[in-house]
Amino acid sequence: MTVKLFVGSTEVASVSSNGSGIWTANTSALTDGIRIIRAQAVDLGGRSSAASNAINFIIDTVAPVVSSVSASTVDGTYGSGSVINPTVTFSETVTHTVAPALTLETGTSDAVATYSSGSGSATYTFAFTVANGHSSADLDYVGTGSLSGTVRDAAGNTAVLTLAAPGAANSLGSNRNIVIDGVIGTVTTVSSDLANGIYPATTVVDIKVNFTRAMTVTGTPVLALNTSPAKSASYLSGSGSSTLIFRYTIATGDTAADLNYAATGSLTAGTIKDSAGNDANRTLPGTATSNSLGGSKNIEVAGNTQTPSLSVNVSATNAYVGTAITPINVNNSTGNDNTNDGRAITYVCVYDETVNGTMDSGGTPC
């Protein structure tokens, strides 16, 4: 028996059935689209049966293509730890047998966004987490071949995964304005505007910690110092800039031969972040390096010294630290003494000839 197939009134195939009445037909006459097919049997005597009930077919030989790449993540700047969700839209509904992935241009180390959801629809969603070091002024994929995996439509056609050129229409960079800033700010130098010298109790020491980028401070970070006893400088100002100021006031009894922070990990407490929300790398330059406080300055903390105490009719022009000096012999115009911590004090003896030998700072040398 012969079986003929018709689309409308047009015969598109004619095949013979086997002894069980089973038949198979192959034809290239059908083009893509919805097609209504009917079958009609013809016996050896040439007699034809009535046409069968109609069967609807969808003919699909066209492979899916990528129509656009975008992101469900809103435009903005994103720092380390942020999750970004790129999306890939196909020309039709698709599924996959090998999960797709999208390679993104994120600086020296490219990120790979992995499949998250969307199988059974025309739009796939991907995800990646911004890592330290990732950077992009306008996030895009690496190139036209950055989408991998095996994706097919319902007819089994394998999708063409070629993307628009980066920055071109329908690319991620064109559709979104996402800035990736995973670059971590670091400390470059620690110094002070205070002149080198020896400083007693009540002296205010402002210490400058310089970063590679502007930082925003919340709370009160502190900088542990190498003083004895151990003291710290507390955050004072500078939030929003690359230089943060910490203040330390020398207390009675504090000493340090060369003021410095205690260790490379001495910057603690509070939060220090850049504009993208990245936590600063607080590691300080080595304490023996030229970029450290001690390496860039020579500030001696002398909080254990005392103000000189002079006898009623003598004065010392250069003495500012130490214990009481020994009584000055008015017959000598100059002399030397020592403070309680061994520092030399030089004094000058003067008197006022017009006031019966009374000593004052406006007199003449003895």
Side-chain angles (χ1 to χ4, degrees):
M1 183 167 54
T2 299
V3 177
K4 295 182 178 182
L5 300 180
F6 295 88
V7 174
S9 60
T10 303
E11 183 180 324
V12 295
S14 179
V15 297
S16 297
S17 64
N18 62 18
S20 300
I22 298 174
W23 52 273
T24 301
N26 294 310
T27 179
S28 60
L30 301 178
T31 58
D32 284 9
I34 299 174
R35 299 290 177 258
I36 300 173
I37 298 178
R38 291 180 172 83
Q40 188 176 44
V42 181
D43 64 15
L44 295 178
R47 295 183 295 269
S48 299
S49 68
S52 68
N53 292 330
I55 300 176
N56 294 342
F57 287 88
I58 298 176
I59 307 300
D60 181 3
T61 61
V62 177
V65 297
V66 176
S67 58
S68 181
V69 182
S70 187
S72 58
T73 305
V74 299
D75 293 346
T77 299
Y78 295 88
S80 183
S82 300
V83 177
I84 309 299
N85 296 114
T87 59
V88 175
T89 300
F90 292 89
S91 56
E92 59 180 300
T93 297
V94 291
T95 58
H96 62 268
T97 55
V98 177
L102 183 65
T103 303
L104 301 170
E105 178 56 67
T106 52
T108 56
S109 176
D110 292 332
V112 176
T114 57
Y115 167 78
S116 177
S117 63
S119 182
S121 73
T123 299
Y124 271 35
T125 299
F126 299 76
F128 88 96
T129 301
V130 178
N132 291 351
H134 283 166
S135 178
S136 176
D138 186 4
L139 183 64
D140 215 331
Y141 39 80
V142 172
T144 57
S146 292
L147 182 61
S148 62
T150 302
V151 179
R152 294 189 171 94
D153 64 12
N157 299 305
T158 300
V160 177
L161 302 183
T162 303
L163 305 174
N170 297 318
S171 69
L172 174 58
S174 174
N175 288 327
R176 279 282 181 262
N177 185 18
I178 295 174
V179 178
I180 301 300
D181 183 1
V183 178
I184 305 302
T186 59
V187 177
T188 57
T189 60
V190 182
S191 188
S192 176
D193 289 336
L194 187 67
N196 293 337
I198 304 168
Y199 292 93
T202 73
T203 301
V204 174
V205 183
D206 285 341
I207 300 170
K208 299 163 64 176
V209 178
N210 297 303
F211 289 84
T212 54
R213 51 175 45 198
M215 292 293 169
T216 299
V217 176
T218 56
T220 307
V222 294
L223 182 66
L225 302 174
N226 68 338
T227 55
S228 177
K231 296 293 180 68
S232 295
S234 297
Y235 168 75
L236 177 66
S237 63
S239 183
S241 74
S242 60
T243 299
L244 304 184
I245 307 298
F246 293 75
R247 175 163 289 182
Y248 159 60
T249 301
I250 299 174
T252 300
D254 289 359
T255 61
D258 186 6
L259 183 63
N260 207 346
Y261 40 83
T264 57
S266 291
L267 182 54
T268 61
T271 62
I272 305 175
K273 296 177 180 286
D274 64 18
S275 60
N278 300 307
D279 285 311
N281 181 342
R282 302 189 185 202
T283 303
L284 303 170
T287 55
T289 66
S290 61
N291 290 332
S292 68
L293 175 60
S296 63
K297 302 295 294 187
N298 186 14
I299 297 172
E300 183 173 352
V301 175
N304 62 337
T305 58
Q306 301 172 7
T307 302
S309 174
L310 304 178
S311 57
V312 65
N313 56 345
V314 296
S315 64
T317 59
N318 295 325
Y320 66 95
V321 292
T323 57
I325 66 174
T326 56
I328 298 174
N329 183 341
V330 296
N331 293 319
N332 295 327
S333 61
T334 61
N336 290 285
D337 212 318
N338 293 319
T339 66
N340 65 322
D341 56 353
R343 304 179 194 282
I345 297 177
T346 299
Y347 56 84
V348 177
C349 173
V350 294
Y351 72 95
D352 187 339
E353 295 178 334
T354 64
V355 192
N356 193 26
T358 301
M359 305 292 291
D360 62 39
S361 61
T364 58
C366 295

